[in-house]
Amino acid sequence: MIKKLAEEFGLHLSTAENTVKLLDEGNTVPFIARYRKEVTGGMPDVTLRELQERLVYLRGLEERKEEVIRLIEEQGKLTPELEAEIRKAEILQRVEDLYKPFKQKKATRASKAREKGLEPLADLIRAMELETGTPEDAAAPFVCGDPELCEAGKGAADAEQALAGACDIIAEDISTNADFAEKVREMTRKHGMLISEAANPEESTVYDLYYEYEEPLAKVPNHRVLAINRGEKEDCLKVKVKAPAEQICGWIKEQVIVNENSVFFELMNETVEDAYKRLMAPSAEREIRSELTERAEKDAVKVFAKNTEKLLMTPPVKGARVIAIDPGFRTGCKVAMLDETGKLLAYTTIYPTEPKKDIQGSRKTLKSLVDKYDANVIVIGNGTASRETEAFAADFIHDLGKEDLRYTIVSEAGASVYSASKLAAEEYPDLDVTTRGALSIGRRLQDPLAELVKVEPRHIGVGQYQHDISKGLLDGALTDVVENCVNRVGVDLNTASPSLLSYIAGINTGIAKNIVSYRESNGRFYDRKELKKVAKLGEKTFKQCAGFLRISGGSNPLDATAVHPESYGAAERMLEKLGISKEEIGKSGAGEIEEKIRRLYPDTEKKERKSVSGFAALASLAAEKPEETQKKLRKSMERMAEDLGIGVLTLSDIVSEIRKPARDPRDGAPPVVFRKDVLSIEDLTPGMELTGTVRNVVDFGAFVDIGVKHDGLVHISELSNRFIKHPMDAVNVGDTVKVRVLKVDPEKQKVSLTMKK
């Protein structure tokens, strides 16, 4: 199993073995990815989770093999050849195929025929050795006319029934043959078609495209599989798999019909066709439909997870004094005023949209908030009445003439779910549901990660067909994504909410609440070691979580970094060797620490090293021979790491943290697009160039917010001048992109865009 993992993931055998050992010891994926890089070879968290998932599958496969071997052995039917076949199986389907003939079944036509003693007749027919006489002659001894057979409850009423029963036995044996079943699936996958038609051709539905649809099984895209499944579930479509029946039956006949001169030739032909059509085809169709769905769901989950990751890793907008608006019509637009830290300063309701359309009153309210709190950003949720509210906000900003006041649209997916949740009620018991929604919308701009973790991941809404996917599959994948993101960024131990803390490695919901309770009772944390005083947070949990929890202004400057407490000794010895005090952490210039390491551990093997002294000289050498310089620096790092008793990857991480503590990985993401004006779909013309934000990526393209009511679609064929297999090869959620309008359909409110040059 370890060898297989090593081969599949391109790892050394020892790396795979040690990584599995870390997982088996109960270490979390974020902890292993960040603090055990020497063991894993620097494997990222996403790959580690894939390895963990594969490990679970392989172990489940081995357990099932042992169980199947035991069950067959209990029946006294296990042969050395069969056991070898089972042990050699690489997928669960193969194990189940091999077990199928021995599985306890409900009464079948074949089992009833066996009870009548017709198995010897089945063997006679199957051998096809008889070349004289008729099948009826051969069946005569198995007819119940013989008193001995009748007394024993054996035999058939006549020769025709005897032959039919024997053929039922042969048909069942053919259908339960593991090799035959595998070949039938293979040929169906390769040459079969997926066909759908209207359940009611007179009724027009969103599935019109699939009313007369057929496509080779081997080519059906995943998003179409999910769309067809949904249409079938809603009774709008009838779906079936059309297999190459003649070709399949021909192949089976080649395997089982051994003598064309036999009197049983025609009977065997009919039996093969019966075995396939009655027993194998329905089973193969179910299995292949299941395979297609499983494949499509896994792909959709990957797309959803990737989109969610990009959304969660949207950079926070620092220094934003936000007027957050949750738009609406009849009940008005809820407004929340937030300071730079997300603290609620004021809240109210305005009515700039139908039916009241109180433009002047709404302007007056917003102006008072801008003047009183010096607001510099208006954030609008993208739900109902969003574009009408956006038009109002754009006019307001234009007429006010305040240079630094801008607006942006944020996704409010899941905001209503959060605002009505028990968590929101606990956080803001004095606010109504809609005001909590506006507050959440504003905070999504200020710190998307901290706010979005309060929403159940499946409600964030950046995928395709998420409501058709297995809840367990989707929730598991998305929880992993949120955990990866939160631990990649790290959290401030003294300000993080229980929701955010609960995603930190090793910390569950109960411990997260205990941390906040301890903080409220004892004041802020000044040292990571204080965590051990929190109820139920033991040594094992501390080891997993400590490195991801930051303390600014604490008693130990290293607590503000991602350096793990287990490496404090090595970090302090390194600082001492380099002549850097803890107070200087974060103040050393880029490259300066590396230069000090190079000087402390010079590469004396080459003479040209003697002529290099000081950082300026190293920089000069780097300009001439960057690869050579990097090579020499690595040697110096290796020597220091050996001296400190740690790995080079760990040392490299420590150096990065000393130079720039707790660097936010979100800083490199595309910035939020702010606007001061608004477009309507009528303003768009083909050829117009615009800047937009990618809101969602699906299998067939990307939806881009260009400032009109509905997001425009960039089809996969328009994403790039080069060929791409998936839209994510070109764009991700949150990207700022330049697009050109291809086609505008005001009636359907659809806009087609291109990113091609």
Side-chain angles (χ1 to χ4, degrees):
M1 197 184 303
I2 299 294
K3 186 180 177 184
K4 191 166 187 60
L5 286 172
E7 288 171 357
E8 290 180 3
F9 287 85
L11 305 172
H12 288 297
L13 195 62
S14 59
T15 301
E17 189 172 11
N18 291 330
T19 301
V20 169
K21 186 179 177 184
L22 283 172
L23 290 167
D24 287 346
E25 287 171 353
N27 293 290
T28 61
V29 166
F31 173 79
I32 296 171
R34 184 68 178 78
Y35 298 111
R36 292 296 180 266
K37 289 182 178 178
E38 273 75 26
V39 176
T40 67
M43 209 183 304
D45 46 20
V46 174
T47 308
L48 271 168
R49 290 199 190 278
E50 289 173 359
L51 185 145
Q52 186 179 40
E53 183 181 330
R54 185 65 175 145
L55 176 65
V56 169
Y57 178 86
L58 291 175
R59 283 181 169 163
L61 176 63
E62 291 305 312
E63 286 174 12
R64 183 58 178 160
K65 285 180 186 179
E66 295 301 326
E67 185 180 15
V68 164
I69 288 168
R70 177 183 61 78
L71 290 169
I72 298 174
E73 192 172 30
E74 285 175 358
Q75 295 177 34
K77 297 177 181 178
L78 185 67
T79 64
E81 293 77 17
L82 177 58
E83 183 176 355
E85 275 292 310
I86 294 170
R87 294 201 181 280
K88 160 172 107 170
E90 295 192 350
I91 58 171
L92 270 171
Q93 182 68 64
R94 177 65 177 169
V95 176
E96 297 305 329
D97 283 347
L98 291 166
Y99 177 49
K100 199 171 184 180
F102 308 96
K103 202 179 240 181
Q104 295 300 316
K105 307 176 188 75
K106 293 179 182 177
T108 63
R109 281 162 48 173
S111 65
K112 290 174 183 175
R114 284 189 174 94
E115 287 172 6
K116 290 178 181 178
L118 297 175
E119 185 121 37
L121 177 58
D123 292 338
L124 182 65
I125 296 170
R126 195 175 355 228
M128 298 186 74
E129 293 173 351
L130 193 63
E131 295 183 359
T132 58
T134 66
E136 287 74 16
D137 293 340
F142 299 92
V143 174
C144 200
D146 184 330
E148 290 183 12
L149 284 177
C150 292
E151 283 178 20
K154 302 289 184 180
D158 53 40
E160 188 178 340
Q161 284 190 15
L163 290 170
C167 288
D168 284 338
I169 293 172
I170 296 170
E172 185 171 274
D173 288 347
I174 289 172
S175 73
T176 57
N177 182 295
D179 293 331
F180 291 180
E182 191 174 322
K183 187 66 176 180
V184 166
R185 281 194 298 270
E186 180 192 321
M187 293 175 77
T188 306
R189 287 189 203 104
K190 191 173 180 181
H191 304 290
M193 305 287 288
L194 183 65
I195 296 174
S196 70
E197 57 186 36
N200 180 2
E202 304 300 318
E203 182 185 3
S204 179
T205 70
V206 293
Y207 304 104
D208 288 357
L209 178 67
Y210 301 107
Y211 275 14
E212 293 181 5
Y213 162 85
E214 66 175 61
E215 189 166 6
L217 287 167
K219 294 184 178 180
V220 183
N222 293 320
H223 64 275
R224 279 194 206 134
V225 171
L226 294 176
I228 288 169
N229 286 357
R230 181 189 284 183
E232 184 180 37
K233 188 177 179 183
E234 293 176 6
D235 295 324
C236 296
L237 298 175
K238 293 178 181 177
V239 187
K240 64 180 179 181
V241 169
K242 182 182 177 183
E246 192 174 328
Q247 189 178 345
I248 292 172
C249 285
W251 181 86
I252 299 173
K253 287 173 184 178
E254 287 175 5
Q255 315 308 308
V256 300
I257 296 179
V258 295
N259 181 5
E260 292 185 5
N261 296 319
S262 171
V263 297
F264 300 119
F265 177 71
E266 288 302 325
L267 204 58
M268 280 296 287
N269 266 298
E270 292 169 7
T271 301
V272 167
E273 288 172 9
D274 175 60
Y276 173 69
K277 290 174 184 175
R278 180 169 58 88
L279 301 172
M280 302 182 84
S283 175
E285 178 170 350
R286 283 193 304 273
E287 288 164 358
I288 286 171
R289 287 286 308 274
S290 180
E291 282 175 12
L292 286 174
T293 299
E294 185 180 349
R295 186 196 75 191
E297 284 192 348
K298 284 184 177 178
D299 181 69
V301 165
K302 280 184 181 178
V303 171
F304 200 110
K306 191 72 176 173
N307 285 340
T308 302
E309 178 186 8
K310 292 297 179 182
L311 189 61
L312 291 170
M313 296 301 280
T314 302
V317 177
K318 294 167 185 175
R321 297 179 299 282
V322 173
I323 295 175
I325 304 177
D326 184 0
F329 286 118
R330 187 178 55 80
T331 56
C333 301
K334 302 300 177 181
V335 179
M337 179 69 219
L338 312 177
D339 71 5
E340 297 92 330
T341 66
K343 180 182 176 184
L344 181 65
L345 301 175
Y347 58 93
T348 186
T349 304
I350 59 175
Y351 299 89
T353 57
E354 298 288 353
K356 286 192 177 181
K357 207 163 187 181
D358 179 14
I359 303 294
Q360 293 308 315
S362 300
R363 284 187 170 212
K364 185 178 178 182
T365 301
L366 287 194
K367 187 175 185 306
S368 67
L369 292 174
V370 171
D371 292 342
K372 185 174 181 179
Y373 300 107
D374 194 24
N376 56 14
V377 175
I378 295 176
V379 177
I380 304 165
N382 69 342
T384 304
S386 171
R387 294 309 178 184
E388 291 80 1
T389 306
E390 179 186 6
F392 160 75
D395 288 342
F396 169 73
I397 291 171
H398 178 269
D399 294 344
L400 191 65
K402 191 172 186 290
E403 276 303 311
D404 67 337
L405 183 61
R406 301 161 296 169
Y407 80 85
T408 191
I409 307 289
V410 300
S411 168
E412 62 177 56
S416 58
V417 176
Y418 158 72
S419 59
S421 68
K422 183 182 176 184
L423 172 62
E426 289 172 354
E427 287 185 321
Y428 308 106
D430 300 328
L431 300 181
D432 65 37
V433 170
T434 52
T435 303
R436 290 178 201 146
L439 179 64
S440 178
I441 287 168
R443 287 184 171 171
R444 288 184 182 203
L445 180 80
Q446 294 176 318
D447 194 344
L449 182 59
E451 195 60 28
L452 288 169
V453 294
K454 299 176 184 177
V455 181
E456 191 178 348
R458 69 189 288 115
H459 293 301
I460 293 176
V462 282
Q464 57 183 2
Y465 303 105
Q466 58 263 34
H467 302 297
D468 301 322
I469 298 168
S470 158
K471 187 176 186 299
L473 180 67
L474 183 59
D475 287 353
L478 294 185
T479 300
D480 289 346
V481 167
V482 178
E483 189 178 273
N484 288 348
C485 292
V486 171
N487 287 281
R488 231 177 273 161
V489 173
V491 304
D492 187 324
L493 183 54
N494 286 312
T495 60
S497 67
S499 304
L500 199 54
L501 288 167
S502 67
Y503 282 104
I504 289 294
I507 295 179
N508 57 32
T509 304
I511 294 175
K513 288 179 179 177
N514 291 345
I515 290 173
V516 174
S517 296
Y518 180 91
R519 199 168 67 198
E520 289 170 350
S521 302
N522 300 279
R524 71 190 306 274
F525 287 88
Y526 284 95
D527 193 307
R528 276 173 170 163
K529 287 183 285 189
E530 279 186 75
L531 278 165
K532 296 179 182 179
K533 297 179 182 178
V534 172
K536 297 184 180 178
L537 200 156
E539 195 65 46
K540 186 177 179 181
T541 302
F542 178 80
K543 177 184 172 183
Q544 299 298 312
C545 73
F548 304 106
L549 299 169
R550 321 270 196 259
I551 301 174
S552 300
S555 56
N556 186 344
L558 287 172
D559 284 348
T561 73
V563 177
H564 196 281
E566 68 184 9
S567 298
Y568 279 7
E572 287 164 354
R573 291 196 303 277
M574 184 195 83
L575 290 171
E576 187 179 349
K577 284 176 176 290
L578 300 179
I580 300 172
S581 69
K582 284 186 183 180
E583 288 66 33
E584 291 179 272
I585 289 175
K587 296 175 184 175
S588 297
E592 188 177 332
I593 296 174
E594 285 93 335
E595 167 57 13
K596 287 182 177 181
I597 292 172
R598 191 199 61 75
R599 285 204 303 264
L600 190 64
Y601 295 91
D603 177 11
T604 56
E605 294 177 16
K606 296 186 179 181
K607 291 182 180 179
E608 68 176 286
R609 210 61 169 122
K610 295 178 181 177
S611 63
V612 179
S613 63
F615 178 65
L618 181 66
S620 173
L621 183 61
E624 294 173 16
K625 304 178 184 177
E627 289 183 16
E628 184 66 20
T629 303
Q630 289 299 318
K631 186 177 177 182
K632 290 174 180 177
L633 179 57
R634 277 198 299 272
K635 287 184 179 178
S636 298
M637 293 279 281
E638 285 167 6
R639 290 180 61 195
M640 178 172 232
E642 188 178 353
D643 198 6
L644 295 173
I646 57 176
V648 177
L649 294 174
T650 299
L651 175 61
S652 180
D653 283 346
I654 292 172
V655 167
S656 297
E657 286 298 312
I658 298 299
R659 186 167 64 233
K660 194 171 182 181
R663 186 186 73 82
D664 194 331
R666 297 172 294 178
D667 289 346
V672 173
V673 175
F674 290 102
R675 303 181 186 278
K676 287 194 174 186
D677 55 9
V678 67
L679 291 169
S680 70
I681 197 165
E682 287 74 20
D683 297 327
L684 301 179
T685 56
M688 183 180 285
E689 292 190 348
L690 301 160
T691 299
T693 303
V694 178
R695 293 296 183 198
N696 197 6
V697 181
V698 293
D699 283 345
F700 53 85
F703 290 95
V704 179
D705 179 356
I706 53 172
V708 297
K709 188 164 187 175
H710 298 284
D711 294 341
L713 172 65
V714 184
H715 189 266
I716 185 170
S717 60
E718 296 294 335
L719 281 167
S720 176
N721 289 84
R722 62 184 175 85
F723 171 77
I724 55 171
K725 290 182 71 174
H726 194 278
M728 282 185 181
D729 296 337
V731 291
N732 287 298
V733 168
D735 284 357
T736 301
V737 294
K738 296 277 187 186
V739 295
R740 194 169 71 255
V741 177
L742 281 180
K743 186 180 176 183
V744 183
D745 186 341
E747 188 178 335
K748 292 184 178 179
Q749 293 288 292
K750 288 185 177 181
V751 182
S752 298
L753 305 169
T754 181
M755 284 173 55
K756 285 183 175 179
K757 292 180 181 177

